[in-house]
Amino acid sequence: MPKILLTGASGQLGTRLRQWFAVRGRPFLATDIVAPADGAAVELVDLANGAEVDRLMIRDISAVVHFGGMASEAGWQTLLEANIMGTYNVFEAARKAAVTRVIFASSYHVQGMYPTSGEPVAPEDPYRPDSLYGVSKAFGETLSRLYFDKFGIECLAIRICAASHPSSPRDARLWFSQDDMTSLVDHALDVPVLGHRTMFGISDNPHAFFRNSPHADFGWSPGHGALELGTPDPRAPLDTADPRQRLIGGAFTQWGHPDDEASARS
């Protein structure tokens, strides 16, 4: 039976997707580079190893939900292997195996250097990455465009915002309900024609820093918003004297080059 290949299945969002697919009765093959904390069956594969990814992709895969890779800032070599080589290997293995749909977990950090005081940022606004991590996700989005235009692999790139419970008004403006996340992935897997599109993974929050462009042919909208959480209130003012609140990327915008910091510690 055809199944979904889920990468990053041991992470926070990957675990949520595993549970959701199981409830929905969707066959899937879960993989990660580390074992999950809950002891579930997850195949251990390094996505930087193209041959290993090729072997996964020929196991009757119908679509890929690619949430694997490094989920924060890291040194260049780590991001090169996890997020650039790994993402390339996923798309290339999909091409060779004639798998024609990929859901790609990108990040709002591709536009993290925009000011919080400006107009909401749209997906088509220029990249302004706040980190090497953001650069690695911009690479994945651009790669997905190539593989759609040249090889016909449909893709939804989800610029995931703050998927954990918010701890500040800034976080609340960025909140992405995990229920909204699962419904968006579900919808992207099932919509008859996906094409190539980029959307922010963000719920219906007041004063949100991002706005999705209309996707009338796609037919999805978030079902949750940060006001339902009570606190923190996304409508509360931000302290823009704090540089972590002045730019959308928060603390990511203030960190130096991670390889310089690693050298200083050694």
Side-chain angles (χ1 to χ4, degrees):
M1 176 181 295
K3 49 190 171 289
I4 298 160
L5 174 61
L6 172 63
T7 71
S10 296
Q12 177 193 19
L13 299 185
T15 296
R16 181 74 178 87
L17 286 166
R18 274 194 289 112
Q19 296 166 345
W20 179 247
F21 290 161
V23 167
R24 295 275 287 168
R26 286 189 181 273
F28 65 96
L29 172 60
T31 183
D32 205 307
I33 198 169
V34 296
D38 61 7
V42 170
E43 293 202 23
L44 301 186
V45 170
D46 182 356
L47 297 180
N49 185 321
E52 292 186 19
V53 182
D54 288 343
R55 284 194 290 271
L56 289 173
M57 203 69 69
I58 61 174
R59 291 167 61 178
D60 200 14
I61 300 301
S62 59
V64 183
V65 177
H66 178 37
F67 274 55
M70 190 68 191
S72 186
E73 182 67 313
W76 172 245
Q77 190 63 35
T78 297
L79 289 165
L80 175 64
E81 294 176 5
N83 290 10
I84 292 181
M85 293 171 61
T87 298
Y88 171 78
N89 288 338
V90 166
F91 275 94
E92 179 60 5
R95 181 188 71 84
K96 291 186 288 188
V99 175
T100 59
R101 186 164 296 195
V102 176
I103 315 303
F104 171 56
S106 186
S107 170
Y108 78 97
H109 289 289
V110 302
Q111 292 173 312
M113 294 301 289
Y114 280 91
T116 57
S117 59
E119 291 296 314
V121 178
E124 59 269 20
D125 288 335
Y127 288 124
R128 292 184 66 179
D130 55 29
S131 52
L132 293 178
Y133 168 69
V135 169
S136 74
K137 289 301 185 178
F139 168 84
E141 290 187 7
T142 305
L143 184 76
S144 74
R145 183 81 234 190
L146 169 70
Y147 272 72
F148 174 68
D149 286 340
K150 186 167 280 191
F151 306 117
I153 297 179
E154 296 184 299
C155 182
L156 171 64
I158 306 173
R159 291 181 180 168
I160 295 172
C161 295
S164 299
H165 193 285
S167 59
S168 68
R170 173 192 167 275
D171 294 345
R173 296 181 186 197
L174 286 165
W175 186 57
F176 187 31
S177 156
Q178 291 191 18
D179 287 343
D180 283 340
M181 185 267 295
T182 54
S183 74
L184 177 54
V185 170
D186 240 6
H187 189 79
L189 288 169
D190 290 338
V191 68
V193 178
L194 177 61
H196 183 279
R197 64 188 77 224
T198 302
M199 297 179 66
F200 292 107
I202 193 167
S203 293
D204 185 15
N205 310 321
H207 302 310
F209 301 132
F210 299 108
R211 62 170 176 82
N212 280 315
S213 302
H215 288 264
D217 59 327
F218 187 60
W220 179 88
S221 59
H224 298 272
L227 288 179
E228 72 189 49
L229 302 174
T231 58
D233 191 332
R235 299 166 298 185
L238 303 183
D239 177 13
T240 54
D242 181 347
R244 294 169 297 179
Q245 298 192 44
R246 190 166 60 245
L247 297 172
I248 292 174
F252 278 63
T253 69
Q254 301 304 300
W255 296 333
H257 195 295
D259 290 336
D260 288 347
E261 296 171 9
S263 296
R265 290 194 298 268
S266 62

